[in-house]
Amino acid sequence: MAEVKRTTDPATSTDADAAPEPNCKRSAKTLPDRRSAVRFWAIIAVLVVASAGFTYGLLAWGNPMPPGSRGFWLIAEMRMENVIVMAVVAVCQATATVSFQTVTNNRIITPSIMGFESLYVAVQTTAVYFLGVAGVLALQGTGQFVLQLVLMVGLATLLYGWLLSGRLGNIQIMLLIGIIIGGGLGSISTFMQRLLTPSEFDVLAARLFGNISNADASYLPIAIPLCLAAAGTLWLSSRRLNVISLGRDVATNLGYNHKREILKVLVLVSVLMAVSTALIGPMTFLGFLVATLAYQFSDSFDHRLIFPMAVLTCYVVLTGAYFVMRHVFYAQGVVSIIIELVGGLVFLTVILRKGRL
C-alpha cells in the first residue's frame, strides 16, 4: 500500500494550518494574565476601602457626642452589634451560595431552593398560630434560635443523606424534592396565616421580612462560631471545590469521592444558611446577587479568590444599603426590600441573557 503523505502547499495553506503565534501563551495560573491580576487586586482594594467607610459611617454618622469621648464610644458600641450581624450574614450568604452553585454546577440556583426559607416561615407561622402573640414573645431567646438551627440543619442533613446515599441518588432529584418540600411548607404556612387574627398576623409579618433588627445580640455567641467553623472549612477546601466544579467524571478520575465531597459541602452550606435565616430572616436574592457580582469581579474559577471577593461584595452591599437608607432616606426598614428588588432584577437579567436555568 502506497504511503499517503500530507503535503502543504504554501500558496493554499489556511490560518488553521499555520503554526501558533509565539506570543500565544497558555497558563495554569488562577488569574490568566497581569492585567487580570491588577484588576482583581484593584477591586479588592476598592471593596476594602468601601467596607471601612460604610462601617465608620454606620458607627459615627449622626452620633451626637464629641468624637473620642466616652459617650461617643458608648453609642458606637451599641451600633456595633448591627455591624457584626451584617458581617456574619455576609460571610454566611456569600460562602454558602458560591459553594452551593459549585457543587450543583449551576450559577442560577441558590440554597434557598432547598426550602430553608420556607421552613423558617413555617416555624414562625406555626409558633404564632399555636402559641399566640403572648406565647411567642415569652419564648424569645437563645432556645428559640437553637431550635430553628437544629430543625433546619437536621432537615437538610436527612434530605441530603437520604437522597445522595441511595442507588439512584443524584443532585437533580435532590433539588426537585427540595422545591416540592419548600412548596408544601409554603402552602401550609399560607393556610395557617389565613386563620390568624389581624394582630397576630401583624406580629408574624414583621418576622417574615429579612431585617437586621430581627437579630438579637444574645444569638451572636452561637452564630459566630458556627459561621466561622463552616465558612473556614469551605475556604480551606477551596482546591477540592475547584476540582468538583470540573464535574463528577473529572473529580473521580483525579481520586476524589465525588458523592462524599458533595454531601460534606451541602451540610456546611445548610449550617451557614440556617444561621443567616434564623438570625435575620429570609433574604432570597442576596446570595445570588453577590455571587454573580463576585464571578464578574474576580474573573477566575479559583475559589480562593472567589470567596473573599464574594464576602467583601456582600458586606459592602449590606452596609452600603443600610447606611444610605438609614441616613439619607430615613427608611432603614425597607433595606431588605430594596436588596431583594435589585437581586430579583439581576436574576431576571441573567435568565434572559442565558435563556435557560
Side-chain angles (χ1 to χ4, degrees):
M1 181 181 293
E3 182 179 358
V4 178
K5 294 184 179 180
R6 183 181 180 185
T7 58
T8 303
D9 185 358
T12 59
S13 62
T14 61
D15 293 337
D17 299 326
E21 294 292 336
N23 293 330
C24 295
K25 297 180 180 179
R26 293 180 180 273
S27 174
K29 296 180 179 179
T30 55
L31 293 170
D33 50 33
R34 180 179 176 82
R35 181 180 180 184
S36 298
V38 171
R39 178 176 176 271
F40 174 82
W41 289 113
I43 294 175
I44 285 286
V46 170
L47 291 175
V48 169
V49 172
S51 301
F54 285 129
T55 301
Y56 180 78
L58 289 173
L59 296 178
W61 191 276
N63 193 328
M65 304 304 292
S69 65
R70 184 172 180 275
F72 178 88
W73 290 114
L74 285 175
I75 295 176
E77 186 177 350
M78 294 173 62
R79 295 178 177 180
M80 180 60 76
E81 292 177 0
N82 286 341
V83 175
I84 294 175
V85 171
M86 292 180 202
V88 172
V89 172
V91 173
C92 290
Q93 289 277 347
T95 308
T97 304
V98 171
S99 302
F100 187 79
Q101 292 180 346
T102 297
V103 297
T104 57
N105 197 21
N106 190 313
R107 291 189 173 183
I108 298 296
I109 60 177
T110 66
S112 302
I113 200 173
M114 297 306 300
F116 287 105
E117 296 173 358
S118 299
L119 180 60
Y120 173 83
V121 173
V123 169
Q124 295 293 334
T125 305
T126 303
V128 175
Y129 180 80
F130 286 105
L131 303 178
V133 176
V136 170
L137 295 178
L139 289 179
Q140 290 290 334
T142 55
Q144 181 206 23
F145 180 71
V146 172
L147 177 62
Q148 292 185 57
L149 290 179
V150 171
L151 283 175
M152 286 191 240
V153 176
L155 176 65
T157 304
L158 286 176
L159 186 64
Y160 299 153
W162 171 47
L163 294 175
L164 290 180
S165 61
R167 182 172 56 88
L168 301 176
N170 62 58
I171 202 160
Q172 284 76 23
I173 295 178
M174 183 191 70
L175 294 175
L176 180 60
I177 293 181
I179 294 173
I180 294 173
I181 292 176
L185 291 174
S187 299
I188 295 173
S189 302
T190 303
F191 172 73
M192 288 190 291
Q193 289 171 10
R194 292 179 180 275
L195 302 179
L196 297 177
T197 64
S199 60
E200 291 173 338
F201 184 79
D202 186 49
V203 172
L204 176 64
R207 292 166 170 260
L208 299 187
F209 281 102
N211 197 330
I212 297 298
S213 61
N214 289 342
D216 192 325
S218 61
Y219 300 164
L220 294 178
I222 301 172
I224 292 176
L226 288 174
C227 170
L228 294 179
T233 304
L234 287 172
W235 190 79
L236 293 175
S237 305
S238 296
R239 295 180 187 276
R240 291 178 177 271
L241 289 173
N242 293 341
V243 176
I244 291 173
S245 66
L246 299 175
R248 181 174 60 183
D249 294 339
V250 175
T252 303
N253 287 332
L254 290 175
Y256 287 92
N257 187 330
H258 186 260
K259 187 176 294 184
R260 186 178 64 189
E261 295 294 335
I262 285 183
L263 181 60
K264 184 174 69 175
V265 172
L266 290 178
V267 171
L268 294 173
V269 167
S270 69
V271 172
L272 291 172
M273 289 304 298
V275 169
S276 174
T277 306
L279 197 60
I280 66 167
M283 298 190 80
T284 305
F285 290 110
L286 175 62
F288 171 80
L289 174 64
V290 299
T292 303
L293 292 176
Y295 296 139
Q296 300 298 322
F297 292 160
S298 57
D299 193 22
S300 173
F301 290 92
D302 191 345
H303 289 75
R304 293 174 297 174
L305 304 180
I306 297 175
F307 278 145
M309 182 70 78
V311 171
L312 280 173
T313 304
C314 192
Y315 183 76
V316 169
V317 168
L318 277 176
T319 54
Y322 267 86
F323 177 79
V324 172
M325 299 306 293
R326 181 175 184 177
H327 297 292
V328 177
F329 297 104
Y330 303 102
Q332 60 176 340
V334 300
V335 169
S336 61
I337 299 175
I338 300 297
I339 292 175
E340 296 293 88
L341 176 63
V342 175
L345 292 176
V346 173
F347 179 81
L348 291 176
T349 304
V350 173
I351 287 289
L352 292 176
R353 288 184 61 185
K354 294 186 67 173
R356 61 180 176 83
L357 287 175

